[in-house]
Amino acid sequence: MKSIQVGLLGAGTVGSGTFKVLQRNQEEIKRRAGRGIEITMVADLDTARAREVAGEGVKVVADAREVIANPDIDIVIELIGGYGIARQLVLEAIAAGKHVVTANKALLAVHGTEIFAAAHAKGVMVAFEAAVAGGIPIIKALREGLTANSIQWLAGIINGTTNFILSEMRDKGLDFATVLKEAQRLGYAEADPTFDIEGVDAAHKVTLMSAIAFGIPVQFDKAHVEGITKLAAQDIKYAEQLGYRIKLLGVTKRTAQGIELRVHPSLVPSKRLLANVEGAMNAVVVHGDAVGTTLYYGKGAGSEPTASAVIADLVDITRLHTADAAHRVPHLAFHPDAMSDLKVLPMAEVVTSYYLRLRVADQAGVLAKVTGLLATAGISIDAVLQREADEVGGEGSTQTDLIILTHDAREGTVDDVLAELQALPTVLEPIVRIRKEELK
Ligand code: HSE
């Protein structure tokens, strides 16, 4: 049978990996897919780069629309990124009746509803395994492998750049800015790493996983997004002394009130596997009611790991493209007419536990006052650590750090009590609040 014809938009790192892996493993891939898969056309503004990536025998063009307009192309791979031209091209490819494979989490997290509706109406597939956690087949696991389950929650380290930075901060006791510079020098972090360090990239990914896990529309605008730029080396050290590591987690959880959808630094017990995911690696823990807790670990970025996910999607489409559209796996795991209207909770309604650090005057009654206000608010304390004043502020210091771990509390209640604590004359600096996930 004739090979399925693929057009590639964007001949960068992942595109190059996709060519290499398709070439290297072509025989095995063909045996799995039932027919060959061939990239026959590549579009990139940098045609010299595209030519180098594609090699001989592949048509190289500067204009992506030439690929979309080619009637021989069955599948379009979008590896351009961003919400601008990529959105236009994906919608045009769908309108032209092409199946689409994309690694573009930003595009789908923000415009997913529009794109999946267009694909559904046209009867084409939009596959996006590479958009979340690179080479880890987490979309496949959530959408198919765990389909028997009522998924309760998932939590993931889904941004390699920030995990690398946090690992280095902990290992070397360095501050954020120093490690970021090192990460950029080593090529881990982009020259403009804003989406990574501010938690936006992780929020795109957890938004997609949340939609698939719970059958809700993609709602990036409802996600709580907090990055790691304000994390101090000191808090990483204190957390360690209390038996925790700090990770940037994407968390989504089903509760009686609605869905939690959030990205922020979190204390994770050091003994959990997730706490031991170091460097640029990714991992996702998913808890289903039947299966219990499952863990997925691997490379979340890079040329061939991401190509591995792109090609898995190409194989899926090759197997299914002649099937009746109604018999394919729905884009978001649940049939479009059976989506849930469970609301995404505002952060004030989220219930979790907390690490609080207060720089206080080292005076009689300060601890009692602080714990008294927490008790009045109904917030139960799990552990307290008070540093020696000399250790915190040097010899003769009259200030100290008070570190408190709480049991579960409603975020809105914590916000209120933190405002009261901050107003105390004996609380000398802005209070540090980091959420804590026990992941039991
Ligand atoms: N910038 C991402 C990361 C990789 O650091 O994990 C692509 O999603």
Side-chain angles (χ1 to χ4, degrees):
M1 194 189 294
K2 182 170 162 263
S3 292
I4 201 152
Q5 311 269 299
V6 181
L8 172 65
L9 313 184
T13 312
V14 178
S16 147
T18 305
F19 265 104
K20 279 191 203 138
V21 178
L22 265 181
Q23 178 79 35
R24 190 169 70 232
N25 298 338
Q26 60 179 313
E27 275 313 310
E28 281 197 59
I29 290 168
K30 185 175 176 181
R31 281 164 54 211
R32 289 183 172 123
R35 62 191 279 200
I37 297 174
E38 204 182 331
I39 301 177
T40 52
M41 202 169 173
V42 181
D44 197 297
L45 290 175
D46 185 345
T47 48
R49 173 174 84 160
R51 166 60 53 219
E52 204 172 302
V53 163
E56 293 309 311
V58 175
K59 184 163 186 205
V60 171
V61 293
D63 182 3
R65 291 190 166 98
E66 279 191 50
V67 176
I68 293 169
N70 183 339
D72 294 334
I73 297 289
D74 305 295
I75 307 173
V76 170
I77 308 176
E78 183 274 307
L79 297 175
I80 296 168
Y83 323 101
I85 186 68
R87 173 177 161 271
Q88 281 301 328
L89 293 172
V90 164
L91 288 171
E92 286 174 30
I94 291 168
K98 314 292 185 199
H99 303 287
V100 174
V101 173
T102 179
N104 192 337
K105 53 243 142 197
L107 175 67
L108 294 181
V110 176
H111 298 290
T113 301
E114 177 191 24
I115 288 168
F116 295 131
H120 183 66
K122 193 74 189 174
V124 297
M125 291 172 269
V126 174
F128 54 97
E129 184 64 74
V132 181
I136 305 174
I138 187 65
I139 300 299
K140 190 82 168 174
L142 285 170
R143 225 162 51 158
E144 298 178 53
L146 298 175
T147 200
N149 288 263
S150 170
I151 293 174
Q152 305 298 306
W153 57 264
L154 66 84
I157 295 171
I158 43 181
N159 182 269
T161 304
T162 45
N163 202 52
F164 171 80
I165 293 173
L166 293 176
S167 297
E168 290 287 291
M169 285 175 75
R170 186 180 69 83
D171 276 357
K172 300 182 178 159
L174 297 171
D175 63 19
F176 170 77
T178 309
V179 180
L180 175 61
K181 276 202 200 98
E182 179 66 359
Q184 284 172 313
R185 196 183 64 76
L186 290 170
Y188 283 110
E190 304 284 335
D192 177 5
T194 314
F195 268 25
D196 292 315
I197 63 180
E198 296 294 358
V200 177
D201 175 72
H204 288 146
K205 294 166 182 168
V206 75
T207 296
L208 290 171
M209 290 195 288
S210 182
I212 295 172
F214 304 122
I216 57 171
V218 281
Q219 297 166 79
F220 174 69
D221 57 336
K222 305 265 174 58
H224 173 85
V225 189
E226 226 176 284
I228 62 166
T229 53
K230 296 191 186 78
L231 264 189
Q234 201 175 14
D235 293 306
I236 293 177
K237 194 177 79 189
Y238 288 152
E240 186 120 54
Q241 289 167 6
L242 288 158
Y244 293 86
R245 289 190 184 168
I246 299 181
K247 295 291 183 188
L248 183 71
L249 289 190
V251 178
T252 187
K253 201 179 278 187
R254 184 202 300 263
T255 76
Q257 287 69 42
I259 302 292
E260 295 182 7
L261 179 57
R262 49 196 169 93
V263 169
H264 48 69
S266 306
L267 271 74
V268 178
S270 304
K271 60 181 183 237
R272 297 268 180 272
L273 289 169
L274 205 57
N276 294 281
V277 172
E278 298 290 8
M281 299 304 282
N282 280 200
V284 183
V285 177
V286 183
H287 187 85
D289 66 336
V291 72
T293 302
T294 55
L295 171 70
Y296 309 83
Y297 170 86
K299 289 186 179 152
S303 178
E304 292 202 9
T306 312
S308 163
V310 166
I311 296 167
D313 281 344
L314 292 177
V315 171
D316 266 356
I317 292 174
T318 304
R319 286 170 175 156
L320 287 172
H321 78 122
T322 52
D324 182 335
H327 296 147
R328 295 178 189 147
V329 183
H331 291 115
L332 295 177
F334 293 74
H335 279 276
D337 58 359
M339 298 294 277
S340 162
D341 58 3
L342 271 174
K343 67 170 181 163
V344 175
L345 295 170
M347 202 55 195
E349 298 300 325
V350 162
V351 173
T352 187
S353 55
Y354 295 85
Y355 162 104
L356 307 173
R357 173 166 63 83
L358 294 83
R359 175 63 58 89
V360 294
D362 194 12
Q363 291 169 11
V366 172
L367 177 61
K369 184 74 188 166
V370 169
T371 55
L373 282 172
L374 289 168
T376 306
I379 297 171
S380 174
I381 293 171
D382 182 28
V384 177
L385 176 69
Q386 184 173 330
R387 308 308 305 162
E388 296 277 347
D390 288 357
E391 205 183 303
V392 170
E395 209 178 308
S397 168
T398 55
Q399 303 180 4
T400 191
D401 277 338
L402 195 56
I403 297 109
I404 297 171
L405 300 184
T406 76
H407 286 297
D408 276 353
R410 192 183 145 271
E411 175 116 350
T413 309
V414 173
D415 288 342
D416 293 344
V417 82
L418 286 187
E420 285 182 67
L421 288 168
Q422 194 67 72
L424 294 174
T426 46
V427 173
L428 306 172
E429 289 181 10
I431 298 169
V432 174
R433 176 252 304 269
I434 306 174
R435 296 165 192 96
K436 178 162 82 64
E437 301 299 326
E438 292 293 333
L439 303 176
K440 281 190 183 139

